[in-house]
Amino acid sequence: MARRRILYEGKAKVLYAGPEPGTLVQHFKDDATAFNAEKRDTVEGKGVLNNRISEYVFSHLNEIGVPTHFIKRLNMREQLVHEVEIIPVEVVVRNIAAGSITKRLGVEEGTRLPRSIIEFFYKSDELGDPMISEEHITAFGWANPQEIDDMMSLAIRINDFLGGMFAAIGIRLVDFKLEFGRQVENDMVRTILADEISPDTCRLWDAQTNNKLDKDRFRRDMGGLVEAYREVAQRLGILQENEPIKTRGPVLVK
Ligand code: UDP
């Protein structure tokens, strides 16, 4: 059997060429990194959980008409996705102050923001993902004004949907990061949601206790990362209590 062609390897995922033109296989690794990869570790089972949680979120987004790259899950660690050209802008939506905004603006962690706030960051490991404005995005040609509009309106719809989805299972959606891509179909280019939505890319707090159920457990050396991600998956009803998640090899699912 031929070795698969790696098209891109990131901190937590690998992209392989897909079975058909215009498709890719997105593989979730167990690697965890933070602070621009200065802190790194392997957390067994994380990739399996993120694959399942992201599958759940993306398939629901597809159902409500938010265009995404997700086609189907292939196995414990992999999903089939549409190939896109990634827009080099990270779109962060915040509902409650946490993380970088607390330091940048001196807002206390946990403060409910006056309204949901969208921020943009330039995707660049070298520069440590600096915060940017729409002006930078259009001036440097990273996205055009239509694409910025598309990203913002999709981000608002996704925030409404995710906020409700998590509220229903006793979780507060504090903030999250999105990445979008350009999908070329015939002569048309459209903006679709790409990457992943998981506890690696969201801040999720238990509504009763404010217990952190996300990657801050890793960033802050709190431990219990896999247990927290498992809790999210169980509350969403996508993982049974004793379902194994610690497998490394690909396991085919129908
Ligand atoms: N985030 C992410 N990838 C990044 C930066 C941020 O997924 O490269 C997510 C992060 O998990 C959080 C949200 O985006 O849910 C806002 O992150 P923030 O700007 O507060 O930065 P951080 O505190 O993670 O450095």
Side-chain angles (χ1 to χ4, degrees), residues 111-127:
T111 311
R112 171 146 302 272
L113 297 167
R115 60 178 172 80
S116 302
I117 295 173
I118 298 179
E119 294 175 348
F120 300 111
F121 296 85
Y122 179 46
K123 255 175 86 69
S124 162
D125 287 341
E126 262 164 61
L127 302 174

Side-chain angles (χ1 to χ4, degrees), residues 73-137:
R73 182 164 65 89
L74 296 170
N75 57 51
M76 297 270 282
R77 288 187 181 273
E78 295 177 337
Q79 37 186 253
L80 185 67
V81 300
H82 293 291
E83 183 172 23
V84 295
E85 180 186 62
I86 287 287
I87 295 173
V89 172
E90 297 192 342
V91 179
V92 166
V93 182
R94 301 182 186 276
N95 300 303
I96 296 168
S100 66
I101 197 175
T102 61
K103 291 178 212 126
R104 197 178 337 113
L105 301 181
V107 196
E108 199 186 334
E109 183 180 82
T111 311
R112 171 146 302 272
L113 297 167
R115 60 178 172 80
S116 302
I117 295 173
I118 298 179
E119 294 175 348
F120 300 111
F121 296 85
Y122 179 46
K123 255 175 86 69
S124 162
D125 287 341
E126 262 164 61
L127 302 174
D129 295 350
M131 191 174 176
I132 50 174
S133 72
E134 289 178 49
E135 282 284 284
H136 299 105
I137 298 174

Side-chain angles (χ1 to χ4, degrees), residues 137-170:
I137 298 174
T138 50
F140 291 108
W142 295 323
N144 65 39
Q146 178 62 55
E147 289 169 331
I148 297 178
D149 274 2
D150 291 345
M151 292 194 289
M152 291 183 75
S153 56
L154 290 171
I156 292 164
R157 284 181 68 193
I158 294 165
N159 187 43
D160 287 345
F161 174 77
L162 287 184
M165 184 189 92
F166 283 119
I169 55 167

Side-chain angles (χ1 to χ4, degrees), residues 157-250:
R157 284 181 68 193
I158 294 165
N159 187 43
D160 287 345
F161 174 77
L162 287 184
M165 184 189 92
F166 283 119
I169 55 167
I171 290 175
R172 296 211 281 165
L173 177 63
V174 174
D175 59 29
F176 58 96
K177 185 256 316 183
L178 302 173
E179 292 189 25
F180 293 90
R182 301 182 183 102
Q183 186 187 28
V184 182
E185 261 181 342
N186 305 319
D187 285 346
M188 301 287 286
V189 183
R190 62 172 190 158
T191 311
I192 70 173
L193 181 70
D195 195 51
E196 67 175 293
I197 296 180
S198 72
D200 265 10
T201 62
C202 301
R203 283 197 173 87
L204 304 170
W205 294 353
D206 180 87
Q208 301 293 319
T209 62
N210 279 336
N211 193 15
K212 294 184 199 305
L213 301 171
D214 57 58
K215 199 169 135 186
D216 270 348
R217 300 201 76 85
F218 173 74
R219 293 189 189 96
R220 297 184 179 195
D221 290 319
M222 298 166 80
L225 183 104
V226 162
E227 292 72 13
Y229 286 28
R230 186 187 261 283
E231 171 77 24
V232 174
Q234 278 173 4
R235 288 200 205 176
L236 287 171
I238 56 181
L239 195 77
Q240 303 311 310
E241 213 161 306
N242 296 312
E243 208 170 312
I245 51 161
K246 298 196 174 176
T247 155
R248 285 179 182 276

Side-chain angles (χ1 to χ4, degrees), residues 26 28 49-60 69-70 79 195-199 238:
Q26 175 165 263
F28 290 77
L49 288 163
N50 282 348
N51 185 26
R52 293 286 287 270
I53 295 169
S54 201
E55 170 199 17
Y56 182 89
V57 172
F58 274 68
S59 42
H60 279 84
H69 74 160
F70 180 81
Q79 37 186 253
D195 195 51
E196 67 175 293
I197 296 180
S198 72
I238 56 181

